Amino acid sequence: GILKQSLYNRDKDIAYFSLVSLGHIRNTESARILLANINNKAFSSYKIASMLENFPADIVEILIEGLEDQDENLRLWSIRLLSRFKPKQCAKRISDFIADPSADIRAAACEYLGEIAADGFKEAIQKCLNDNIWHVRMQAVITFEKMFGAKSIADIAPLLKDSHWHVRNSAVEALG
């Protein structure tokens, strides 16, 4: 209705307060509107995501729908938000994002798998340990240690010699 239309108002204050109002309503309709505006240049994606994190778990189905969207940023935020809600029913679908062309999506998928601690995804996370992008490897180290604890030593130890210091530091912390 009116709040959705007001998001596009020329007056930035009106648009902003419409966004805030939708964030306070916290129902599936307002969640759908907010998620659809995750790429709206007038607002920060992070701001919208932080609002959606405070919604009830009723929005999980909307986030799962977002996984199928053509927009890379919407898929990324859907995965990141699903990591907060931790629904296990989409674990297989999200594990498929380990092979996504976007490094951010690969890292988010790895984080999600660690958050839900789902069995059966060790191979998917191992692929991330060998990713060519450092922040995917770093997230894989964190996820692997979180899921497998001391059993992760053999997989994480080689990353102590990684070319990127964030990855090496994560490996040290995981093994420490």
Side-chain angles (χ1 to χ4, degrees):
I2 195 161
L3 289 176
K4 183 178 179 180
Q5 292 170 344
S6 297
L7 289 172
Y8 303 101
N9 194 296
R10 288 184 185 155
D11 184 327
K12 291 180 181 181
D13 289 334
I14 292 173
Y16 176 75
F17 285 108
S18 295
L19 178 79
V20 171
S21 296
L22 286 164
H24 285 290
I25 293 172
R26 294 188 182 140
N27 64 20
T28 55
E29 183 181 352
S30 61
R32 196 174 297 281
I33 294 167
L34 288 170
L35 195 60
N37 279 277
I38 203 99
N39 291 323
N40 184 333
K41 301 290 184 223
F43 312 113
S44 163
S45 296
Y46 289 94
K47 177 93 173 145
I48 292 174
S50 70
M51 289 177 176
L52 289 168
E53 284 180 338
N54 294 308
F55 274 56
D58 301 354
I59 71 165
V60 164
E61 289 304 318
I62 295 166
L63 297 172
I64 291 171
E65 290 170 16
L67 298 175
E68 305 308 322
D69 200 275
Q70 295 298 311
D71 183 81
E72 181 180 306
N73 197 42
L74 181 61
R75 289 193 314 273
L76 172 64
W77 282 107
S78 293
I79 295 168
R80 285 182 173 168
L81 288 163
L82 286 165
S83 293
R84 306 302 181 259
F85 288 101
K86 300 177 179 68
K88 293 188 177 193
Q89 72 263 32
C90 54
K92 172 63 178 111
R93 175 65 184 110
I94 292 179
S95 73
D96 293 341
F97 286 109
I98 295 293
D100 196 88
S102 165
D104 291 334
I105 288 179
R106 292 193 306 273
C110 192
E111 178 184 4
Y112 166 85
L113 293 172
E115 288 298 322
I116 65 162
D119 291 332
F121 296 102
K122 185 175 183 176
E123 286 181 24
I125 299 165
Q126 282 174 319
K127 287 179 188 175
C128 290
L129 287 171
N130 298 310
D131 199 278
N132 60 343
I133 303 296
W134 70 267
H135 74 272
V136 177
R137 293 191 307 276
M138 182 184 75
Q139 184 58 56
V141 168
I142 294 165
T143 298
F144 219 81
E145 192 280 328
K146 183 184 241 181
M147 289 180 71
F148 305 108
K151 295 177 185 174
S152 66
I153 292 172
D155 292 289
I156 294 175
L159 293 166
L160 291 168
K161 296 179 181 179
D162 193 89
S163 62
H164 200 280
W165 73 273
H166 281 303
V167 178
R168 290 191 307 270
N169 187 55
S170 293
V172 166
E173 288 180 13
L175 298 173

